[in-house]
Amino acid sequence: MSNGGKSHLGASGSEPLPVVIIGNGPSGICLSYLLSGYNPYVKPDAVHPHPMLQRKLTEAPGISIVDQDLDYLSEGLEGRCQSPVALLFDALLRPDTDFGGNVESVLTWKHQKERAIPHLVLGRNLPGGAWHSIEASMVTLSQGDWMGLPDLQVKDWMCRKRRGLRNSRATAGDIAHYYRDYVVKKGLSHNFMSGAVVTAVEWGTPERSGPGARDPSPLFQVNGFVTAKDQSQRPFSLCARNVVLATGTSDSPARLGIPGEALPFVHHDLSALEAATRAGTMSPSSDPVLIIGAGLSAADAVLYARHYNIPVIHAFRRPVDDPGLVFNQLPKMLYPAYHKVHQMMREQCILSPSPYEGYRSLPEHQLLLFKGDRQAVFRDPQGLQKVFGIALVLVLIGSHPDLSFLPGAGADLAVDPNQPLSAKRNPIDVDPFTYQSIHQEGLYAVGPLAGDNFVSIWLRPLGCKLKEAKELIRLSCLWNPVPAPGLAPSSPRGCCPVPRTQGSAKGRGVG
């Protein structure tokens, strides 16, 4: 499979590819599926539980969803995402998931070869992206079926492989294998090039072909190298008319930027606590682990530490009743473990008697510095300084995508070019229905890079850019399987059966 796209990686002077997708995680896989000519239709006998949406779906029977007015169809839908197209397709794929229901998808898929658009998917890992970098025995916090791609349910695939879900969850190894197998079963392998690292993407506008000709579309130059099985590296350079960014956002962990953050006991990934637990350096009798952050990654760390009875100091800048906390966006019935962490954050303050032995929360505390003798200095809400002894520190305050291959590392493409690119706070600025960059024609961003929380990517025709097709692409995206899946350690007791909606290679969008 790693040689699937070999024929495309020729000289830069070859005919431009219609589409190059950077990132071979679930977003890139799903987009390849659609570009290969697979289109969603509403099942003739399907009845959607949302009355208004059901009425709209009956107005255009036999017409592919991607050929309908997505703005009209998505009007009035509400949910956990700001993208109207993401909400629409989430409603079509999983009609009542947010309410704990199990109504089947109202969509069916048809392969129409005449609608296929040539494309190439580039990725560092095997198809599945960051899922191949996660410990295989880890159990997803998201329900297994939420990891699925079009027309192949995870539970059906697991049954064929004689594998079983654990409390509706799958292991990271199963999901990685599922994504890789999906590419083969759907006949997409020839579009994928694994082991490919993109080092630079540049664009420019070619000269007009003659008097009276229309302004030409931009052309993109994509450079990089491919690592072979013998670890040798072969450079490539190819030309594309459109580039899709589907890399996810878990490449680089966010940092506090305070003195002492580079000390050896300060880490930015839960794996450090896992390794210390296995080595016996973190135990119920050790000094506390300090966990910084109020998101799902920090909650994962709290749950892991509690599972092994490791003492915890949990610090975060926001008040516990802040409506912006992610816990307030998750249904309690589906996310009981995360809501238990939120309850602990609310009920246990370090200045009050502890209802939770071994856990202390520090709401509205600002971390000032770390000292070499394993001390952390805070400023509390009253402006007083406090010092705590700790054994290990996990700074889990989010992550940033690595777009160093773009001019200016992609900063000019964000909603606010003066702030760091962030999936949650400052994503790439795209059209909400086409997912084309507001700032650069022909450049698209899908998944968490564009601020989407769902594992879903969709395409529809747009424009007249290609000679090979009457219409090029109109991208609408919502397929983002959260790898970063939220993960919990596999254990006899079973850990944290909680779904996750977005994130890093620990349960959020992975490209």
Side-chain angles (χ1 to χ4, degrees):
M1 183 174 307
S2 62
N3 293 325
K6 183 177 180 180
S7 61
H8 295 296
L9 298 183
S12 59
S14 59
E15 179 68 19
L17 275 166
V19 183
V20 167
I21 302 168
I22 303 175
N24 65 354
S27 293
I29 295 173
C30 184
L31 183 53
S32 177
Y33 177 78
L34 293 161
L35 287 170
S36 297
Y38 291 90
N39 282 275
Y41 291 78
V42 176
K43 297 175 183 176
D45 57 346
V47 177
H48 198 282
H50 192 295
M52 182 180 297
L53 180 56
Q54 170 62 20
R55 177 180 59 79
K56 294 178 181 179
L57 293 174
T58 60
E59 295 174 359
I63 305 298
S64 171
I65 291 294
V66 297
D67 293 327
Q68 298 187 41
D69 186 344
L70 300 185
D71 191 0
Y72 171 66
L73 290 177
S74 63
E75 185 179 4
L77 296 178
E78 298 179 352
R80 295 168 285 127
C81 180
Q82 298 301 315
S83 167
V85 179
L87 290 172
L88 170 63
F89 279 95
D90 192 60
L92 296 173
L93 286 162
R94 307 173 183 89
D96 60 351
T97 291
D98 280 353
F99 302 99
N102 57 0
V103 176
E104 290 188 1
S105 169
V106 300
L107 296 181
T108 186
W109 298 85
K110 297 181 181 180
H111 190 202
Q112 300 165 311
K113 294 182 179 180
E114 70 278 5
R115 301 190 67 170
I117 297 175
H119 62 282
L120 179 63
V121 184
L122 304 174
R124 295 173 180 263
N125 296 317
L126 295 170
W131 285 90
H132 292 282
S133 302
I134 301 171
E135 171 61 40
S137 64
M138 300 291 278
V139 179
T140 65
L141 291 181
S142 295
Q143 295 184 24
D145 279 345
W146 291 13
M147 303 288 104
L149 296 179
D151 201 30
L152 181 59
Q153 293 189 40
V154 170
K155 63 180 180 181
D156 294 338
W157 180 87
M158 295 277 285
C159 183
R160 294 171 194 166
K161 296 294 181 180
R162 297 184 178 180
R163 300 280 294 170
L165 297 174
R166 308 179 188 180
N167 296 323
S168 299
R169 271 71 183 173
T171 66
D174 284 334
I175 295 301
H177 188 187
Y178 163 81
Y179 288 142
R180 184 180 180 183
D181 207 29
Y182 182 93
V183 170
V184 176
K185 289 184 178 298
K186 297 301 180 182
L188 310 178
S189 300
H190 63 285
N191 297 317
F192 281 74
M193 175 57 72
S194 300
V197 176
V198 175
T199 57
V201 175
E202 300 175 338
W203 53 82
T205 303
E207 297 180 358
R208 294 187 182 186
S209 58
R214 296 176 56 187
D215 289 338
S217 301
L219 288 177
F220 295 83
Q221 190 73 34
V222 181
N223 300 321
F225 61 87
V226 176
T227 302
K229 292 183 179 180
D230 61 2
Q231 300 306 307
S232 63
Q233 295 181 347
R234 178 169 60 92
F236 68 81
S237 180
L238 55 88
C239 194
R241 298 192 181 278
N242 298 270
V243 169
V244 182
L245 304 175
T247 60
T249 62
S250 60
D251 300 294
S252 178
R255 299 181 180 273
L256 295 166
I258 61 173
E261 192 169 7
L263 289 168
F265 58 87
V266 180
H267 304 273
H268 298 79
D269 194 286
L270 175 58
S271 61
L273 178 58
E274 296 167 352
T277 304
R278 289 194 298 268
T281 55
M282 292 298 300
S283 67
S285 60
S286 64
D287 285 337
V289 55
L290 172 60
I291 299 171
I292 308 297
L296 298 183
S297 291
D300 288 344
V302 171
L303 292 169
Y304 182 92
R306 296 284 292 170
H307 177 71
Y308 289 100
N309 296 318
I310 296 171
V312 175
I313 295 177
H314 185 192
F316 42 96
R317 292 186 300 175
R318 294 186 181 186
V320 291
D321 56 355
D322 188 331
L325 288 177
V326 66
F327 307 103
N328 295 318
Q329 304 170 29
L330 307 179
K332 289 185 178 181
M333 181 175 63
L334 297 180
Y335 299 80
Y338 283 150
H339 280 279
K340 182 62 176 180
V341 173
H342 192 203
Q343 179 182 347
M344 293 165 61
M345 293 164 61
R346 286 196 310 266
E347 296 180 359
Q348 210 301 314
C349 173
I350 199 162
L351 300 179
S352 64
S354 173
Y356 303 102
E357 183 179 357
Y359 174 86
R360 296 174 175 177
S361 70
L362 294 173
E364 299 181 77
H365 277 62
Q366 181 183 359
L367 188 55
L368 301 179
L369 59 94
F370 298 109
K371 294 183 177 181
D373 57 353
R374 296 182 183 264
Q375 289 188 327
V377 182
F378 288 89
R379 179 184 294 122
D380 70 10
Q382 289 72 42
L384 301 176
Q385 287 194 6
K386 296 177 181 176
V387 181
F388 300 97
I390 39 85
L392 190 75
V393 179
L394 297 181
V395 180
L396 303 173
I397 55 175
S399 59
H400 301 303
D402 180 7
L403 298 179
S404 57
F405 55 84
L406 293 177
D412 293 341
L413 303 174
V415 173
D416 184 351
N418 298 317
Q419 297 295 324
L421 194 64
S422 167
K424 293 182 180 180
R425 301 176 182 84
N426 193 32
I428 291 178
D429 197 4
V430 298
D431 182 283
F433 288 96
T434 68
Y435 281 66
Q436 182 171 217
S437 167
I438 298 298
H439 304 288
Q440 177 57 51
E441 180 186 1
L443 185 66
Y444 298 82
V446 297
L449 282 177
D452 266 340
N453 294 333
F454 299 114
V455 183
S456 313
I457 298 178
W458 305 91
L459 122 113
R460 56 187 306 198
L462 169 76
C464 269
K465 298 182 181 180
L466 301 180
K467 295 180 181 178
E468 297 83 357
K470 292 182 179 179
E471 298 176 313
L472 179 55
I473 306 174
R474 184 171 177 192
L475 291 172
S476 302
C477 141
L478 39 306
W479 220 291
N480 159 28
V482 255
L487 303 175
S490 176
S491 70
R493 291 172 52 186
C495 240
C496 320
V498 186
R500 173 168 290 196
T501 55
Q502 119 154 14
S504 68
K506 273 288 182 198
R508 323 290 186 251
V510 174

